[in-house]
Amino acid sequence: MAAFSDVEAEEPRFAARVRAAFDAHRHKVLATLRADGAPRVSGIEAAFAAGDLWVAGMPRSVKFADLRRDPRMALHSGSDEPDTFSADAKVSGRAVEVAGGEQRAVFAEATGNPAGGDYELFRVDLEQVVLTAVAPAKDALEICSWRPGRGLTVVRRT
């Protein structure tokens, strides 16, 4: 697993494009697993701060109960309409709850949120980061995928 700072160190241009895709939309889509194993998708806000990707939200949300039970998750940046689409991003990994202490203070300092605020907080350990973008010549899609220990791969789809 990796932090977003690992992606930035290995592939800075790719990481900047991924971050721009996530920053283009305030609300993201979080995928978790329910107790019965069925998927659940939920709206959520996410932040890149202090070298990590974080998700935070209202206390007692079922999405956070899902993550406590099974930390596997995926997060989608959201997409523009097809006529204006340029790129979207997805990450998958495991959510690590941050209930208090130093990590919560780091998040609070980096984002301007109160460290003792009434919100639940998870840091994302990354297993995969994907950027799907229109190729510069606008003749194909380029799917760029980064995994820890494997680096970046690019697939073109015409």
Side-chain angles (χ1 to χ4, degrees), residues 1-8 50-53 123-126 146 148:
M1 304 252 201
F4 196 73
S5 59
D6 297 321
V7 183
E8 291 173 314
D52 280 304
L53 176 58
R123 181 181 45 78
V124 180
D125 280 341
L126 299 170
W146 180 91

Side-chain angles (χ1 to χ4, degrees), residues 13 31 90 97:
R13 186 171 171 272
K90 297 168 272 304
E97 186 171 16

